[in-house]
Amino acid sequence: MVVDQALYRRTVLPNGLTVLTEPMDHVRTASLGVWITAGSRYEDAARMGVSHFIEHALFKGTATRSALQIAQAMDGIGGHLNAFTDKEVTCYYLRVLSDHLDPAMDVLADMLLHPALEAAALERERQVILEEISMCEDAPDDLVHDLFASTLWPGHPLGWPIAGSQQSVGALRREDFLEFIGTRYRPDAALVAAAGRLEHDRIVELVERALGAWTGRLTVVPAVPPAPRRAVAFRSKEIEQVHLCLGVPGLPQAHADRYVLAVLDTALGGGMSSRLFQEIREERGLAYSITSYHTAYRDAGAFVVYAGTGPETSREVMRLTLVELARAREGMAPDEVARAKESLKGSLMLDLETPGSRMSKLARSEQYFGRQLTLDELIADVDAVQVEDVRRVAAHLFDPDRMTLVAIGPFDQHPGLAESLEEAVRDA
């Protein structure tokens, strides 16, 4: 089955694997990714971090290639091979000169279909991942976002750290990896996306030759959406700053108001002209870092304001943030919304200039919308956002009764600070 939509092409192979392509004739490279529905939300508490561990482990050798040979094969063609794990997907991706797609795909397919999972290599990589987790513990500006997710969605996999914990990673065994791979790494739960200098039929032929023998079917278990709660959480660390996340439940990935929220996010905390940046950093000098963001999944989302500031200024930063959220609920001026829309369109288009970003867009569109969103459609959807839409979404999201606050800072050295921050949110 082949479906054409403008320049995008889609083919489903006999084993259920979907192949998506977008040609970019003005470049000489191609990016290709294998996207598997194997993110951390599909784990159980006893195997937290298994999907991230598997992503690391697949680079450590196959039945016929050592980890060094994998690296040498890619270096020998000037290519780049990497991977990432997020809450809902694991992606293995490469970028090479278009003429080198064949050998690069051979390496990637070998990793996916024939991982060695050798005991000594797994133990070495376990230590690497444990160090990665420790590094996050030493980076409060990263750690606070994990703390926010676990506080907003307690007990749900979307609230767990992708890398797992020291305890869960320490307990993982080879049998856990084999079981997870056997359950989630199935061709009908995966897709191959490719963009750059390429021809669709050639990519289909390449993928079918490399991954056509991939078999099995995913046993679909309905995903349970998280139940958000309003809460506060504080963690004391001997550091100089207080790192704050104030947020609310947001919108799922495919929500009809997703572009309205993107415009609201841009105007509120998405750039140097945004309200939060101007008021808290430029006008008052209370924080170096102040921003907002929206993270979205199939059935849930979160809108978050993050700030890093001194203990003595943290309560004022919190107060001013709450003031700006309340102002947003009342609405924004037409020129402010117009500026945010132009900024958002520019960033969207600039972000989609490379084969890698186009490859990611192909996959995300397929996963969350079941079709390709054209660039013209993205622009039109942003242009369609009205001032009243922004006010409506802000009024819904920024209800004080929906707000969750987390913070990491030197609370043991500043008695009463945590209570002061909690009071500010409670009184909003």
Side-chain angles (χ1 to χ4, degrees):
M1 178 180 66
V2 179
V3 177
D4 283 286
Q5 183 183 333
L7 293 177
Y8 312 114
R9 297 195 67 192
R10 179 181 186 272
T11 296
V12 180
L13 301 183
N15 64 353
L17 181 62
T18 298
V19 182
L20 306 161
T21 64
E22 179 183 0
M24 300 173 69
D25 294 337
H26 63 283
V27 300
R28 297 188 179 185
T29 63
S31 288
L32 181 148
V34 180
W35 298 68
I36 305 170
T37 309
S40 60
R41 79 168 299 169
Y42 303 107
E43 301 167 356
D44 55 55
R47 297 189 298 179
M48 189 190 309
V50 66
S51 51
H52 176 255
F53 201 139
I54 290 169
E55 174 225 312
H56 278 239
L58 263 58
F59 284 83
K60 301 308 160 186
T62 72
T64 58
R65 289 180 171 96
S66 66
L68 176 59
Q69 288 172 324
I70 290 173
Q72 287 175 335
M74 295 304 297
D75 288 346
I77 57 176
H80 177 74
L81 176 64
N82 209 334
F84 66 84
T85 304
D86 69 17
K87 304 278 189 179
E88 295 187 318
V89 71
T90 301
C91 174
Y92 301 87
Y93 62 94
L94 57 87
R95 187 179 184 190
V96 292
L97 293 174
S98 297
D99 293 343
H100 294 154
L101 271 170
D102 285 57
M105 189 66 205
D106 286 344
V107 173
L108 180 52
D110 193 24
M111 291 167 51
L112 287 169
L113 301 184
H114 309 293
L117 302 179
E118 190 269 332
L122 291 176
E123 287 308 309
R124 287 193 298 270
E125 202 58 29
R126 188 192 312 275
Q127 293 307 310
V128 171
I129 294 171
L130 292 175
E131 290 297 332
E132 182 180 354
I133 294 171
S134 296
M135 183 172 65
C136 182
E137 284 287 334
D138 288 339
D141 52 336
D142 289 333
L143 183 62
V144 71
H145 303 286
D146 283 344
L147 179 60
F148 179 85
S150 66
T151 303
L152 181 67
W153 296 314
H156 192 279
L158 286 179
W160 299 342
I162 292 170
S165 66
Q166 296 274 351
Q167 293 73 25
S168 66
V169 171
L172 290 172
R173 296 294 176 260
R174 188 173 190 270
E175 293 73 22
D176 298 317
F177 307 140
L178 291 172
E179 182 180 350
F180 193 82
I181 290 172
T183 301
R184 304 299 312 184
Y185 278 54
R186 293 306 190 195
D188 63 334
L191 62 85
V192 176
R197 184 178 287 272
L198 52 79
E199 295 178 357
H200 178 79
D201 292 341
R202 176 77 179 85
I203 296 297
V204 170
E205 177 186 345
L206 174 64
V207 173
E208 188 159 23
R209 184 173 67 247
L211 296 175
W214 194 3
T215 60
R217 288 291 183 268
L218 177 70
T219 300
V220 178
V221 178
V224 178
R229 69 168 182 175
R230 185 192 184 198
V232 295
F234 300 99
R235 183 179 298 183
S236 188
K237 275 184 172 287
E238 292 187 20
I239 52 180
E240 294 299 319
Q241 283 193 310
V242 175
H243 297 269
L244 305 161
C245 277
L246 177 69
V248 295
L251 305 178
Q253 185 73 249
H255 196 281
D257 283 328
R258 62 189 180 275
Y259 294 107
V260 180
L261 182 53
V263 171
L264 173 60
D265 179 23
T266 301
L268 186 64
M272 294 181 66
S273 67
S274 66
R275 288 185 172 190
L276 288 168
F277 191 92
Q278 283 295 312
E279 178 67 17
I280 292 174
R281 173 170 163 162
E282 295 297 284
E283 293 296 323
R284 299 174 185 262
L286 295 177
Y288 175 77
S289 182
I290 175 77
T291 188
S292 65
Y293 66 89
H294 180 241
T295 183
Y297 307 106
R298 291 188 181 277
D299 50 12
F303 185 91
V304 184
V305 175
Y306 162 79
T309 187
E312 66 284 350
T313 56
S314 58
R315 196 183 194 286
E316 180 66 1
V317 168
M318 177 59 57
R319 185 188 71 81
L320 291 169
T321 298
L322 289 164
V323 168
E324 291 302 330
L325 293 178
R327 287 184 61 221
R329 296 182 69 211
E330 297 170 0
M332 294 183 171
D335 63 328
E336 190 175 9
V337 172
R339 185 167 57 249
K341 288 164 64 173
E342 292 305 312
S343 176
L344 179 60
K345 288 190 296 183
S347 64
L348 284 171
M349 294 302 104
L350 289 171
D351 288 344
L352 289 172
E353 286 193 336
T354 67
S357 60
R358 293 290 184 96
M359 180 271 290
S360 295
K361 175 188 165 294
L362 285 173
R364 299 289 190 188
S365 292
E366 177 74 15
Q367 289 170 328
Y368 290 111
F369 302 97
R371 65 181 184 86
Q372 288 305 308
L373 305 179
T374 68
L375 302 185
D376 288 343
E377 184 178 357
L378 294 177
I379 294 296
D381 285 339
V382 174
D383 281 335
V385 174
Q386 301 297 311
V387 172
E388 172 55 25
D389 295 326
V390 175
R391 188 209 61 77
R392 172 178 53 82
V393 169
H396 167 67
L397 289 184
F398 301 154
D399 184 337
D401 290 337
R402 305 174 78 241
M403 291 183 182
T404 288
L405 168 68
V406 303
I408 298 175
F411 296 114
D412 289 347
Q413 289 75 46
H414 294 268
L417 178 57
E419 292 80 2
S420 174
L421 294 172
E422 183 176 357
E423 181 183 7
V425 176
R426 187 173 60 245
D427 294 343

